[in-house]
Amino acid sequence: MKPLERKIPWPLYLSVLLVGGLLMWLSVARYRGYNVGMMDLGRMSQAIWSAGQGHPLIMTTAQGPQSRLALHVELFYLLLAPLYALFPTPITLLIFQAGLFVAGAFPLYAFAKRHLVQRWAAVIVCLIYLFYPVAQTAVLFDFHGDTLAMPLLFFALDALDRRAWKSYALWLALALSCKFYVALPVTVLGIVLWLQGERRIGVYTASAGVAWGLLAFFVVRPLFTPPSGGEIATTTSGYLTYYFGEWHQTIGSTLVARAVVAFIVFFPLAGVVWKALLWLLPALVVALPALLSTGPGPSYYYGYHHYALVVPFLMLATIYGLQQLPTEVKVDRHSFQLRIRDIFLGISLLLTLVFNSFFVDTPLNAGFWSGAEGRGLAPAKYGRTGRDIIKDHWLRPIVPSQTALAVSTFLAPHLANRPTLHIVAHLPEHLEEVSLVLPDALFDHVNLFADGGFEGGILHDLSSIQLLLNSPDFGLRATRDGLLLFERGLPAAQALSQEVEVFTPEVAPQIESRFGDKIGLVSASVQPLGAWRYRLQYEWRPLRPLAAEPPFIAVSRLAGVPQSRYVHLPTVALHPTVRWEPGQLVRETFEIELPPDLASGSYQLQVGWYDSSEPYAFETDERSRLGQEVLVGVLEVP
């Protein structure tokens, strides 16, 4: 039998190109917009880069250096190391993942064509795959082994159907190498084959799944796990506890949410898969643990990658289910024939597209174009801001390759090609391991919660900034629009000094400007230290007790110059407003350097105060500002 149908219909080629191009564009746009963090793309990129350096997929974790082989045993990543060495950027991985995903449509077409006969029916099955909600969300969520295994399983299933045993063994081995728990659905697939009368190949398939699962989990993982690898890597109970340990505490409060996710995962194809439930079993053994998981995220959410392995077996059950439906039925005496199978296939495609338009953030979804935060081309999803462009231009020349680094989490994937890459949240335990630290004082990513709370925002890296400012080993070498670069052993003369004094004057000084009813400006001065360097000094008075208020953040900026903000680190990190007391005078003195690409001329320096309890305080606009900005000086650039 032929490996693939020779004459692939042009609609399928066109669909593959359009969907592949769309998913590549969105994946890369999310990365270029600094909306992908160290978890997971940063770690995968660092691990695959390390393989090109001769190391076994080593990444930096909170516990220290660790191999991917100690966690999910993603041997397939070793095959990607040469490609990554040629094009050493996470974009390579994102494009490869999206391309491999759409390539899975070709073996699926060949399989469906053999069983459904009609070419157009096979094309529709492929369209269902290409637009299936949890397939696309898996591709759009960073980079993961189970997402790669999804199309590889289609090649394996097609080879199995053709009884091309060598090809089947190869593709199955590649799929298993993507992640150790691919062994679970493969084992169940073998059992289903055995029950269907394919005794020998069923035994071989199930045996391969069981053997690889046991070998990966109980031999390979312990072999590559260091003693400090953490409970999730060092013990089976720790692994299970990490993903399922809080089930009894959370299941009641999340039962409806989990049911909704199950509905999204299965309902578009429910009309046909019920006719082939036995073939659905491999999908269920993946979906049920995901739906019951209590891992972070939450990990049962449909928008992650955990349901990628469900898709191949859903499609398998769909094809076999369609075979069980009547091909045609007479509906009148003139023998007009209506194909029942065609109706169910069309309904399945329609439901897939409807669910896709509701639950996947692509141009098919009206929310993509709504401008809502966290949707579509918004800055926190696929959008790219002027600050993101500044990050590109500022990071590349200022951060040497190979240098041991700690960095804000959304900067991490852009600096992943190095042996040591901590995120700044891990600094208290790993400060001695790094030479440079890059926190973000205007952390510009936020996740809103239904109860009005949020995660991220302007204070996200504050504790790390406080640690660094109080460390005698580090000095602030450079800043750019809230991005900070601290260097170990930096001479004091080269560091941008950051100082604060607190005292109680005998006579209360006069207030020059007020920022709401919270803070008063007593004085401000600007002292040039060279062509591009200035010392700024501000004196503040609290207008009311601030201990019970959220921290307030002062930011100065050059009027009319985008991305030219300077966070007042002394009153953000060294002596925050929650420690100010009525009657005190707070004097902060700090140095700044102007952007090197600033044109000659005079620039007004303005200052404002912002409420950190507002989720978008990092935008430093009227949504979080206390009162109005105040002009405090003019800077001359020769």
Side-chain angles (χ1 to χ4, degrees):
M1 302 180 73
K2 299 176 182 179
L4 284 174
E5 179 76 15
R6 284 186 177 179
K7 294 182 179 180
I8 303 294
W10 69 263
L12 180 57
Y13 275 123
L14 181 61
S15 300
V16 165
L17 289 174
L18 290 177
V19 174
L22 173 67
L23 296 179
M24 289 177 189
W25 166 53
L26 294 177
S27 297
V28 173
R30 185 166 168 255
Y31 166 80
R32 295 185 71 239
Y34 288 81
N35 295 317
V36 185
M38 182 64 175
M39 296 280 288
D40 292 302
L41 182 62
R43 285 187 170 181
M44 307 304 182
S45 301
Q46 186 189 23
I48 294 170
W49 172 85
S50 84
Q53 310 302 306
H55 304 292
L57 298 173
I58 299 297
M59 61 184 182
T60 306
T61 71
Q63 291 77 35
Q66 193 171 64
S67 172
R68 294 299 306 178
L69 302 179
L71 292 169
H72 292 132
V73 197
E74 293 128 330
L75 282 173
F76 189 85
Y77 290 173
L78 294 171
L79 302 179
L80 298 178
L83 177 64
Y84 194 87
L86 288 174
F87 307 99
T89 167
I91 291 175
T92 301
L93 304 180
L94 296 173
I95 290 176
F96 177 85
Q97 179 174 257
L100 183 61
F101 165 72
V102 294
F106 295 119
L108 175 61
Y109 172 80
F111 187 102
K113 173 66 168 57
R114 282 192 296 273
H115 288 268
L116 301 180
V117 182
Q118 295 97 344
R119 296 172 67 190
W120 66 266
V123 170
I124 290 180
V125 169
C126 292
L127 290 176
I128 292 173
Y129 163 63
L130 292 172
F131 286 95
Y132 207 72
V134 293
Q136 287 197 354
T137 55
V139 175
L140 293 172
F141 183 68
D142 291 9
F143 180 85
H144 295 92
D146 39 359
T147 304
L148 300 177
M150 171 172 49
L152 294 175
L153 284 169
F154 283 118
F155 284 96
L157 293 171
D158 174 60
L160 169 67
D161 192 54
R162 292 184 287 110
R163 310 186 79 79
W165 305 125
K166 291 182 179 179
S167 294
Y168 176 58
L170 173 62
W171 290 114
L172 198 66
L174 288 174
L176 287 168
S177 73
C178 289
K179 190 166 277 190
F180 79 82
Y181 61 69
V182 179
L184 187 59
V186 167
T187 300
V188 176
L189 172 64
I191 295 172
V192 172
L193 289 170
W194 190 87
L195 292 173
Q196 292 285 71
E198 296 281 356
R199 299 299 174 89
R200 178 176 295 182
I201 192 60
V203 169
Y204 288 159
T205 300
S207 298
V210 170
W212 173 244
L214 294 176
L215 179 68
F217 198 85
F218 294 108
V219 178
V220 178
R221 291 178 79 248
L223 184 63
F224 287 92
T225 301
S228 60
E231 192 176 6
I232 181 177
T234 55
T235 67
T236 303
S237 61
Y239 187 91
L240 296 175
T241 299
Y242 181 79
Y243 285 106
F244 302 99
E246 298 180 8
W247 188 82
H248 61 288
Q249 301 173 8
T250 62
I251 190 64
S253 60
T254 60
L255 188 59
V256 173
R258 294 171 192 267
V260 170
V261 170
F263 180 76
I264 295 170
V265 173
F266 289 105
F267 186 76
L269 297 176
V272 290
V273 297
W274 68 274
K275 297 289 288 184
L277 290 179
L278 192 62
W279 293 103
L280 196 62
L281 290 180
L284 292 176
V285 298
V286 174
L288 288 177
L291 288 168
L292 296 175
S293 174
T294 59
S299 57
Y300 64 81
Y301 176 55
Y302 76 91
Y304 297 150
H305 58 100
H306 303 116
Y307 300 96
L309 293 175
V310 172
V311 176
F313 302 105
L314 260 178
M315 302 309 303
L316 190 66
T318 296
I319 293 169
Y320 284 127
L322 288 169
Q323 279 189 294
Q324 304 302 314
L325 293 172
T327 302
E328 55 195 31
V329 61
K330 294 181 180 180
V331 296
D332 62 29
R333 61 183 180 178
H334 299 295
S335 300
F336 175 76
Q337 296 177 341
L338 179 66
R339 298 179 183 273
I340 300 298
R341 180 191 297 174
D342 300 349
I343 294 176
F344 276 87
L345 186 57
I347 292 174
S348 298
L349 175 61
L350 178 62
L351 287 174
T352 296
L353 294 175
V354 169
F355 273 55
N356 184 291
S357 69
F358 275 97
F359 300 114
V360 187
D361 195 8
T362 70
L364 287 181
N365 190 320
F368 184 92
W369 308 102
S370 67
E373 294 291 349
R375 302 291 300 276
L377 297 177
K381 192 61 181 288
Y382 302 122
R384 181 166 161 86
T385 67
R387 191 168 190 254
D388 295 329
I389 297 172
I390 289 294
K391 293 173 187 175
D392 282 347
H393 296 320
W394 193 69
L395 289 174
R396 289 170 184 165
I398 208 169
V399 181
S401 61
Q402 304 292 312
T403 302
L405 181 67
V407 63
S408 190
T409 184
F410 287 100
L411 302 178
H414 298 257
L415 299 165
N417 298 343
R418 63 191 66 242
T420 301
L421 181 66
H422 284 286
I423 59 173
V424 295
H426 300 160
L427 273 186
E429 296 80 20
H430 299 282
L431 187 60
E432 296 302 318
E433 301 172 21
V434 299
S435 301
L436 296 176
V437 185
L438 260 166
D440 190 348
L442 292 172
F443 190 87
D444 54 358
H445 198 90
V446 65
N447 293 320
L448 299 176
F449 300 140
D451 61 1
F454 65 93
E455 177 184 62
I458 197 169
L459 297 182
H460 187 271
D461 290 348
L462 177 59
S463 61
S464 302
I465 296 171
Q466 291 172 328
L467 175 67
L468 291 160
L469 288 175
N470 286 295
S471 171
D473 297 328
F474 283 85
L476 181 61
R477 184 176 123 194
T479 71
R480 186 67 192 269
D481 199 46
L483 300 168
L484 312 175
L485 179 65
F486 289 88
E487 181 176 340
R488 179 184 296 278
L490 185 69
Q494 298 179 24
L496 299 170
S497 66
Q498 310 287 315
E499 301 173 357
V500 65
E501 303 172 73
V502 182
F503 54 94
T504 303
E506 295 183 0
V507 178
Q510 183 177 353
I511 302 295
E512 291 188 0
S513 302
R514 295 174 180 267
F515 297 85
D517 61 349
K518 316 287 187 184
I519 297 170
L521 174 63
V522 175
S523 66
S525 64
V526 178
Q527 177 187 357
L529 301 177
W532 300 93
R533 193 161 180 159
Y534 288 82
R535 177 179 289 119
L536 310 182
Q537 186 175 91
Y538 296 83
E539 291 187 344
W540 310 99
R541 274 186 57 196
L543 302 180
R544 53 185 286 180
L546 299 179
E549 302 275 1
F552 300 118
I553 312 298
V555 178
S556 294
R557 68 179 181 90
L558 304 181
V561 181
Q563 288 79 53
S564 65
R565 296 172 294 177
Y566 299 93
V567 179
H568 293 211
L569 298 180
T571 49
V572 169
L574 294 177
H575 191 69
T577 57
V578 293
R579 290 162 53 186
W580 293 14
E581 297 180 4
Q584 288 184 337
L585 192 68
V586 179
R587 177 185 295 150
E588 61 174 340
T589 306
F590 59 96
E591 296 177 2
I592 65 170
E593 285 186 336
L594 300 183
D597 55 353
L598 199 61
S600 300
S602 300
Y603 295 90
Q604 293 183 341
L605 183 69
Q606 297 179 327
V607 66
W609 280 89
Y610 303 90
D611 185 348
S612 67
S613 67
E614 295 295 329
Y616 297 103
F618 60 81
E619 295 280 10
T620 61
D621 57 23
E622 63 278 357
R623 287 176 293 180
S624 61
R625 186 182 300 135
L626 307 181
Q628 300 297 317
E629 291 180 295
V630 173
L631 175 65
V632 294
V634 177
L635 280 60
E636 300 291 341
V637 177

